[in-house]
């Protein structure tokens, strides 16, 4: 059973560029959440998608946007990249019905903005 | 405002001894707490959780204690093993279900010495 998969694993961009990160949820999961983990910090919630709609959003600017596809996979887009966007971006999936408050994480995409 | 705090950045214990990792929170609305373990180059892995209606939950070598009046929880690992060496994150959420955003602490690096 494949877990949460994210691509790419590493990415280098320059300031002002745009980036798209991808996530495939664990089999049977319908909800995808995105987190940003800066160096030395814990993951911070960006937003969550369910039924192809953004359901919750953390304290991130509109430069951060996302999408969920009918197969439950998801993309995170960041426009007008800033140096401060350099971080590990984690995708987590869960099942709305199974509950248990457990979100399963992928290995993340390491984004470096130069 | 750091709603979930892990005040010890690191902890070193001897193999076979008890490891105690601590976490404090400020938001009294939190009603579900989780511990995740993270190895380098991997995503956080779910370890154990506890609902606010309980004060203790055990799973093998791992026990989580919740003191609601003190807004404090702790993770006990007995006996500690070298493979437990990782960063441990405490996380909290409001409301039941797997779709609520998780608020993470900054993590504690546990080193178990052989």
């Amino acid at each position: 059973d494949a877990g949460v998969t994210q691509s790419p694993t590493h990415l280098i961009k320059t300031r002002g560029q745009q980036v798209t990160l991808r996530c495939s949820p664990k089999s049977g999961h319908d909800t995808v959440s995105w987190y940003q983990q800066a160096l030395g910090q814990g993951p911070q919630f960006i937003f969550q998608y369910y039924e192809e709609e953004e359901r919750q959003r953390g304290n991130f600017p509109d430069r951060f946007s996302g999408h969920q596809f009918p197969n439950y996979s998801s993309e995170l887009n960041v426009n007008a990249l800033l140096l401060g966007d350099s971080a590990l971006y984690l995708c987590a999936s869960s099942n709305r019905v199974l509950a248990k408050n457990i979100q399963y994480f992928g290995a993340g995409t390491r984004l470096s903005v130069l | 405002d750091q709603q979930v705090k892990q005040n010890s950045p690191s902890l070193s214990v001897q193999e076979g001894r008890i490891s105690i990792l601590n976490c404090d929170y400020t938001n009294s609305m939190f009603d579900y707490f989780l511990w995740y373990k993270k190895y380098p180059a991997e995503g956080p892995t779910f370890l154990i959780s506890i609902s606010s209606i309980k004060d203790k939950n055990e799973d093998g070598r791992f026990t989580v204690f919740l003191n609601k009046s003190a807004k404090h929880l702790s993770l006990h690992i007995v006996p500690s093993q070298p493979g437990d060496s990782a960063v441990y994150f405490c996380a909290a959420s409001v409301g039941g279900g797997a779709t609520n955003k998780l608020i993470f602490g900054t993590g504690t690096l546990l080193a178990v010495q052989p």
Side-chain angles (χ1 to χ4, degrees), chain A residues 17-99:
Chain A
Q17 285 190 311
Q18 177 264 345
V19 68
T20 297
L21 311 181
R22 295 176 176 81
C23 172
S24 292
K26 186 177 168 65
S27 177
H29 285 186
D30 55 9
T31 302
V32 173
S33 302
W34 287 92
Y35 292 81
Q36 180 197 67
Q37 186 181 9
L39 202 59
Q41 302 297 313
Q44 277 199 294
F45 177 77
I46 303 175
F47 43 52
Q48 183 183 85
Y49 277 83
Y50 171 68
E51 288 186 332
E52 303 179 47
E53 288 189 15
E54 183 183 293
R55 301 291 178 168
Q56 296 184 68
R57 189 177 183 92
N59 190 24
F60 280 81
D62 292 344
R63 298 187 297 107
F64 290 77
S65 63
H67 189 78
Q68 186 180 35
F69 299 93
N71 67 352
Y72 308 118
S73 67
S74 176
E75 287 182 350
L76 164 65
N77 300 293
V78 187
N79 294 323
L81 285 167
L82 303 174
L83 296 179
D85 295 331
S86 296
L88 178 67
Y89 288 84
L90 294 163
C91 170
S93 74
S94 53
N95 183 289
R96 184 165 286 253
V97 174
L98 294 178

